[in-house]
Amino acid sequence: MTRSSESITPELHAYIVDHSDPVDPVLSDLVEETARLFPDRKGMQISPEQGAFTTLLTRIHGARDVVEIGTFTGYSSICFARGLPEDGTLLALDINEEWTSVARRYWERAGVAERITLRIGPALESLRELPAEPRFDIAFIDADKEGYVDYWEELVPRIRPGGLLLADNTLSHGRVVDPDNTSASVQGIRDFNSLLVSDERVNQVLLPIGDGLTLARKN
């Protein structure tokens, strides 16, 4: 019999955060400012344990080139950029100038601004403008959920063999297993999760980190 993960209560989540790499003042201030400026959107930030995980994973993988779909106010991009070497690069794709203006300030504070290139516009268009050949070591998807499948299809050919792809919110707050929930965003995640299970180009696992974090390796 397989054993499922324990339910993550608020107390257990706090314990997890307290026993992972600490959130430094830059990220703490970013969380506070994001909540103040965009109270209805603050849940779009990745969780602290996801941030610690992505920094560590980037370092372990020895990644030099990362692409991020969905930047918001910059928490995840800081975490990835901190895992890169001094000459590493992160291409951040987002559609919102207001959110990313906050990100730009915090990239400077975190000392990673020189590693990050920001493109404003529909991410799918930005991806399709890139050469259709392997380039990136890591890709992170965290934008509109209905677009995950399309982003995936553009990203996989542009990931080097052995490279990693991550996708956030792949549990959709538990709604993926609610048959009565037929919203476009939830169905988009279901379609994405189903696609990955049958995609022979990768090996993948859906981790119960944050709101679900899928990690895949390109064969």
Side-chain angles (χ1 to χ4, degrees), residues 3-22:
R3 181 178 179 183
S4 63
S5 299
E6 299 293 339
S7 177
I8 305 297
T9 64
E11 294 79 12
L12 190 55
H13 179 259
Y15 184 88
I16 291 169
V17 173
D18 288 344
H19 292 81
S20 301
D21 278 351

Side-chain angles (χ1 to χ4, degrees), residues 132-196:
E133 58 190 32
R135 167 183 173 181
F136 298 105
D137 302 302
I138 294 179
F140 181 53
I141 307 173
D142 190 18
D144 57 296
K145 311 312 170 189
E146 301 96 316
Y148 270 35
V149 169
D150 290 334
Y151 296 141
W152 177 263
E153 294 297 351
E154 293 298 328
L155 284 168
V156 172
R158 294 172 171 84
I159 296 291
R160 296 181 178 127
L164 306 177
L165 300 100
L166 297 96
D168 195 20
N169 303 117
T170 46
L171 291 178
S172 191
H173 303 286
R175 295 173 295 189
V176 287
V177 295
D178 178 2
D180 295 327
N181 193 316
T182 58
S183 70
S185 61
V186 174
Q187 191 56 49
I189 292 295
R190 290 192 188 110
D191 293 342
F192 177 74
N193 292 340
S194 296
L195 169 67
L196 266 61

Side-chain angles (χ1 to χ4, degrees), residues 76-93:
S76 57
S77 48
I78 289 173
C79 293
F80 279 107
R82 283 176 167 174
L84 292 169
E86 290 293 329
D87 60 347
T89 64
L90 188 154
L91 175 61
L93 306 180

Side-chain angles (χ1 to χ4, degrees), residues 35-68:
R36 177 173 55 82
L37 294 176
F38 313 111
D40 296 333
R41 300 280 188 170
K42 61 182 181 181
M44 290 170 56
Q45 281 183 323
I46 64 170
S47 63
E49 69 273 19
Q50 283 179 309
F53 177 77
T54 53
T55 299
L56 184 59
L57 185 67
T58 304
R59 289 176 179 159
I60 291 171
H61 190 59
R64 304 184 69 85
D65 296 289
V66 176
V67 58
E68 173 184 77

